[in-house]
């Protein structure tokens, strides 16, 4: 009886979680994403100090290793940097910038890419040719190099980093949507919609979009983790966000100066957080991609 | 085939012209070079004289054509900082970048292929799981932070390798290289390893999927049935069949490696073209930045062209699409 029930009854697991069943690494990644996102959102509430308020910093607390007692008697869990800034607090605030920049850049790149990809499919002809040549131009450079060159022209700033990253992201999305869209266009439901006298815009957004967007959504987590790394790299190189903005890349870059004297925690701690964040997203992204691939699913 | 190559050549030429136009607009039109050069207390007459001296009083299309004509003749201007022709600066530093990239490719092939073949042959062994874990983590560690860890572990804690800079070089066919110099190689090892990690991860995956595919081919079954020793089976029959795509893709990664060398060279203070680019961005040394962008675009156009031609040769279906 119970066996029959187990076989026939619908799964009680939330459909969103189905891809993660039996994959402990992917579940750990999912938990990681939740923890990092929450920590970033709640940073002002949970951080021991506001690391960018000069009034709260005391130079006497400078360069303390992790677990040291600070001047006011509290313990700095992850140590402090040269100006007495608590690394834990700085990292919590830095995650906010990293996540914000990555999510906004990927969202802009996705929307622009998907819309242009759909337009290329619907219009065809020279519109398609122009959009696809622009895609070719963009994807012929590695993302970080493209962003680096754009920032050399724009100058640095949060908005400019977002723009530079989005320019690298839209092209891949446009190319993917166009590829899927072209094959969807040949199907009967599009022909039916046309015969029904529906306008181009309605066909584009009501019929084509829902059917062509899944590959873009599946690759979105990967795009976000890529954007996080790219932003950190650019900020580390000094061409990304300005020094007044907390960012993981900048924190690591500050610590770089103290590495040779053995004060590892200043750049290792923010780097470790960056890696854990990216790793969590990548593990989940890998699982989602494999789950979306029926060939791999069948092989188990 | 000739038609295909000619069409791709034409596309590449158009791409280069568009890119030069974008760089020109970005670097010379969006901000005012006269203001940068003249300084704040220049009089209107000074500015006019400067503009006339550099041809900046001409209409924009004329300026662009002059810019283009100079580039075609190999004249990228003079660096504001070094006071020397930009092209000389870049070609002076190019060997340093290329030798690190070369060593990284060698390291990548030397580690990636054996690891990939092992994983492909032994799908369930713990070592395979370990390799797959390493490649996943390797992909997730940002290049620049990895470089810092290398310095921390090998230069600060273990004190076995130098942290930054380029060691002694030897003269080879007129180029200053560290490759043929034991002390120079020690300086090269960390930067090259830093570039190689991503490459190793990629090649492990390529070699693994290649092995899994080739092992079940009829000729492999036949070779095994014939009683060929496993060593020879892997070394000769398997390796030859998976090596072509791996080496091809690795060679095409040249551009990506040179792009990432900007990061690696900055962390390790390696005097190549990547560090030159960043130093020039910091100091607003425009002619160098512009020249780097144009040359790197040219390089990517050539690499992509080579990739398309190679793929078209390997897969005739591509030519007709």
């Amino acid at each position: 009886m119970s066996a029959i029930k187990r076989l026939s009854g619908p799964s009680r697991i939330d459909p969103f979680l189905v891809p993660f069943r039996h994959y402990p690494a992917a579940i750990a990644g999912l938990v990681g994403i939740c923890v990092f996102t929450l920590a970033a959102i709640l940073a002002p509430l949970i951080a021991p100090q506001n690391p960018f308020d000069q009034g709260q910093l005391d130079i006497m607390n400078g360069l303390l290793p992790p677990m040291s007692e600070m001047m006011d008697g509290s313990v700095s869990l992850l140590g402090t940097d040269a100006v007495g800034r608590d690394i834990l607090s700085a990292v919590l605030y830095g995650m906010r910038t990293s996540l914000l920049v990555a999510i906004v850049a990927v969202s802009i790149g996705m929307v622009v890419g998907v819309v242009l990809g759909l337009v290329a499919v619907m219009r065809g002809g020279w519109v398609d040719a122009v959009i696809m040549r622009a895609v070719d131009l963009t994807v012929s450079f590695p993302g970080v190099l493209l962003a680096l060159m754009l920032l050399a022209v724009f100058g640095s700033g949060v908005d400019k980093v977002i723009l530079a990253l989005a320019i690298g992201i839209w092209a891949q999305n446009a190319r993917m949507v166009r590829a899927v869209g072209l094959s969807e266009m040949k199907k009967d439901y599009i022909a039916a919609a046309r015969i029904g006298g529906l306008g181009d815009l309605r066909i584009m957004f009501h019929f084509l979009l829902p059917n062509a967007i899944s590959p873009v959504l599946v690759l979105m987590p990967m795009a976000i983790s890529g954007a996080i790394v790219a932003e950190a790299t650019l900020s580390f190189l000094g061409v990304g966000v300005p020094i007044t903005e907390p960012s993981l890349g900048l924190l690591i870059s500050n610590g770089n100066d103290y590495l040779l004297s053995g004060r590892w925690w200043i750049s290792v701690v923010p780097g470790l957080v960056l890696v854990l964040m990216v790793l969590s997203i990548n593990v989940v992204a890998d699982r989602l991609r494999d789950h979306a691939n029926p060939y791999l699913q069948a092989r188990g | 085939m000739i038609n295909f190559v000619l069409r791709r050549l034409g596309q590449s030429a158009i791409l280069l012209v568009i890119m030069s136009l974008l760089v020109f607009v970005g670097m010379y039109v969006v901000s005012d070079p006269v203001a940068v050069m003249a300084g704040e207390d220049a009089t209107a007459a000074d500015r006019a004289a400067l503009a006339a001296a550099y041809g900046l009083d001409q209409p924009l299309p004329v300026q662009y054509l002059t810019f283009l004509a100079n580039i075609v003749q190999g004249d990228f201007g003079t660096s504001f900082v070094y006071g020397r022709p930009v092209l000389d600066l870049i070609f002076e530093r190019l060997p340093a970048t290329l030798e690190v990239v070369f060593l990284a490719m060698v390291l990548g092939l030397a580690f990636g292929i054996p690891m990939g073949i092992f994983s492909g042959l032994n799908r369930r062994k713990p070592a395979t799981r370990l390799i797959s874990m390493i490649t996943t983590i390797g992909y997730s560690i940002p290049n620049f932070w990895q470089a810092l860890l290398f310095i921390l572990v090998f230069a600060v804690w273990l004190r076995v390798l130098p942290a930054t800079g380029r060691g002694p070089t030897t003269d080879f066919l007129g180029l200053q290289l560290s490759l043929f110099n034991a002390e120079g190689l020690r300086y090269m090892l960390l930067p090259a390893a830093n570039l190689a990690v991503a490459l190793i991860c990629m090649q492990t995956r390529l070699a693994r999927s290649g092995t899994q595919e080739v092992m079940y081919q009829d000729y492999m079954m036949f070779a095994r049935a014939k009683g060929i020793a496993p060593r020879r089976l892997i070394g000769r029959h398997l390796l030859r069949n998976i090596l072509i795509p791996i080496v091809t893709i690795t060679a095409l990664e040249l551009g990506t490696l040179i792009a990432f060398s900007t990061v690696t060279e900055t962390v390790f203070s390696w005097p190549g073209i990547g560090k030159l680019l960043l130093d020039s961005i910091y100091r607003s040394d425009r002619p160098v930045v512009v020249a780097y962008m144009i040359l790197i675009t040219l390089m990517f156009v050539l690499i992509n062209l080579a990739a398309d031609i190679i793929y078209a040769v390997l897969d005739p279906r591509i030519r007709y699409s």
Side-chain angles (χ1 to χ4, degrees):
Chain A
M1 180 63 198
S2 68
I4 293 168
K5 203 171 165 190
R6 205 173 64 223
L7 282 174
S8 60
S11 160
R12 290 225 187 102
I13 301 180
D14 185 77
F16 174 73
L17 293 175
V18 168
F20 300 96
R21 234 177 347 174
H22 313 307
Y23 287 90
I27 293 172
L30 208 56
V31 172
I33 292 176
C34 296
V35 169
F36 287 122
T37 313
L38 268 180
I41 294 170
L42 300 176
L45 299 175
I46 54 176
Q49 59 164 226
N50 179 351
F52 295 88
D53 174 7
Q54 297 294 331
Q56 289 185 32
L57 303 180
D58 185 348
I59 195 85
M60 297 297 285
N61 287 328
L63 298 175
L64 295 174
M67 304 308 287
S68 311
E69 196 173 317
M70 302 222 277
M71 295 302 284
D72 60 359
S74 64
V75 171
S76 175
L77 278 177
L78 298 175
T80 60
D81 71 1
V83 295
R85 189 179 287 146
D86 178 43
I87 301 278
L88 173 65
S89 313
V91 164
L92 285 170
Y93 276 80
M95 276 162 39
R96 284 162 81 90
T97 313
S98 297
L99 278 174
L100 184 81
V101 169
I103 291 173
V104 174
V106 170
S107 309
I108 294 175
M110 241 182 73
V111 172
V112 174
V114 168
V115 170
L116 284 180
L118 290 177
V119 168
V121 170
M122 291 300 291
R123 283 272 168 268
W126 68 270
V127 177
D128 181 35
V130 167
I131 293 175
M132 291 328 284
R133 289 299 83 74
V135 167
D136 290 343
L137 181 74
T138 320
V139 296
S140 58
F141 294 96
V144 170
L145 186 69
L146 184 70
L148 187 65
M149 297 202 299
L150 288 170
L151 289 170
V153 177
F154 299 159
S156 64
V158 173
D159 48 344
K160 286 158 187 159
V161 174
I162 290 176
L163 187 64
L165 292 178
I167 288 176
I169 292 163
W170 78 273
Q172 305 152 11
N173 289 328
R175 182 175 272 185
M176 252 181 322
V177 166
R178 177 177 175 272
V180 182
L182 278 181
S183 66
E184 290 296 318
M185 280 301 275
K186 296 190 188 108
K187 291 189 179 165
D188 288 344
Y189 69 90
I190 300 283
R194 281 215 189 285
I195 293 164
L198 295 179
D200 274 359
L201 271 181
R202 198 175 156 84
I203 290 179
M204 199 164 113
F205 286 109
H206 275 219
F207 292 80
L208 211 47
L209 180 69
N211 288 299
I213 202 166
S214 62
V216 170
L217 291 180
V218 166
L219 290 182
M220 190 181 173
M222 218 51 146
I224 290 179
S225 76
I228 291 176
V229 171
E231 183 273 327
T233 305
L234 294 168
S235 301
F236 174 81
L237 292 176
V239 294
V241 303
I243 44 174
T244 47
E245 294 285 331
S247 144
L248 292 177
L250 271 177
L251 292 172
I252 297 170
S253 157
N254 290 339
N256 193 8
D257 303 336
Y258 299 93
L259 203 62
L260 289 177
S261 59
R263 299 189 173 91
W264 52 270
W265 59 91
I266 306 173
S267 58
V268 169
V269 170
L272 211 55
V273 171
L274 179 66
V275 170
L276 287 177
M277 215 154 87
V278 170
L279 197 60
S280 307
I281 300 176
N282 285 357
V283 172
V284 171
D286 267 347
R287 185 78 273 281
L288 287 178
R289 198 186 46 197
D290 289 352
H291 185 75
N293 184 341
Y295 172 65
L296 282 178
Q297 227 183 351
R299 267 205 322 192
Chain B
M1 190 66 202
I2 290 172
N3 257 337
F4 171 78
V5 173
L6 283 179
R7 205 175 60 217
R8 284 292 289 109
L9 266 174
Q11 282 175 3
S12 303
I14 295 171
L15 198 81
L16 271 176
V17 171
I18 293 175
M19 199 60 197
S20 73
L21 190 62
L22 290 179
V23 171
F24 174 77
V25 171
M27 295 307 270
Y28 286 94
V29 181
V30 172
S31 65
D32 180 11
V34 176
V36 177
M37 285 186 289
E40 281 178 8
D41 38 58
T43 63
D46 289 344
R47 285 168 197 276
L50 253 176
Y54 284 90
L56 295 167
D57 52 348
Q58 302 286 324
L60 277 180
V62 176
Q63 283 190 41
Y64 173 67
L65 286 179
T66 317
F67 169 80
L68 215 56
N70 284 342
I71 286 176
V72 171
Q73 291 166 27
D75 176 11
F76 285 90
T78 309
S79 156
F80 294 163
V81 174
Y82 299 93
R84 298 180 44 207
V86 169
L87 220 51
D88 288 4
L89 283 174
I90 290 179
F91 280 121
E92 224 165 70
R93 284 163 175 74
L94 195 59
T97 299
L98 289 182
E99 68 175 347
V100 171
V101 166
F102 172 75
L103 188 61
M105 283 187 168
V106 172
L107 286 177
L109 291 171
F111 285 92
I113 292 178
M115 276 163 63
I117 292 180
F118 180 86
S119 315
L121 291 176
N122 311 287
R123 284 189 62 184
R124 307 253 174 254
K125 278 199 183 164
T128 301
R129 298 186 76 110
L130 185 71
I131 290 174
S132 123
M133 215 168 84
I134 291 173
T135 54
T136 307
I137 294 174
Y139 262 127
S140 302
I141 298 184
N143 219 270
F144 69 96
W145 191 63
Q146 215 174 70
L148 292 184
L149 285 189
F150 278 175
I151 291 180
L152 186 66
V153 172
F154 294 102
V156 180
W157 287 346
L158 299 177
R159 295 179 187 282
V160 287
L161 289 170
T164 57
R166 191 183 188 198
T169 55
T170 39
D171 194 80
F172 178 76
L173 302 176
L175 300 173
Q176 292 299 318
L177 294 180
S178 308
L179 264 178
F180 308 103
N181 180 317
E183 185 57 22
L185 264 178
R186 287 187 59 224
Y187 278 87
M188 255 172 83
L189 212 51
L190 286 185
N194 179 222
L195 277 180
V197 170
L199 209 55
I200 292 175
C201 296
M202 190 190 80
Q203 282 161 346
T204 305
R205 289 189 177 193
L206 284 175
R208 182 180 55 201
S209 60
T211 304
Q212 284 171 0
E213 215 165 278
V214 169
M215 279 315 273
Y216 297 102
Q217 297 292 324
D218 289 344
Y219 59 82
M220 289 302 278
M221 302 272 192
F222 181 68
R224 217 190 313 218
K226 233 167 54 171
I228 289 177
R231 263 186 85 131
R232 196 175 150 79
L233 195 69
I234 291 167
R236 202 178 163 81
H237 297 262
L238 174 68
L239 203 58
R240 280 201 180 179
N241 280 295
I242 63 170
L243 217 50
I244 297 167
I246 294 178
V247 170
T248 311
I249 293 176
T250 305
L252 296 175
E253 281 292 294
L254 177 73
T256 317
L257 283 179
I258 289 182
F260 272 102
S261 73
T262 50
V263 179
T264 303
E265 286 174 9
T266 307
V267 181
F268 291 100
S269 300
W270 185 265
I273 53 169
K275 188 166 186 308
L276 179 68
L277 171 71
L278 276 157
D279 288 345
S280 304
I281 292 177
Y282 300 148
R283 297 172 186 164
S284 334
D285 195 350
R286 251 149 211 248
V288 180
V289 178
V290 168
Y292 182 92
M293 285 187 186
I294 302 264
L295 289 178
I296 215 90
T297 309
L298 180 66
M299 193 190 72
F300 274 103
V301 164
L302 291 179
I303 289 176
N304 288 333
L305 183 67
D308 286 349
I309 292 174
I310 289 171
Y311 288 137
V313 169
L314 292 180
D315 185 353
R317 276 173 304 179
I318 292 174
R319 264 173 270 162
Y320 303 111
S321 65

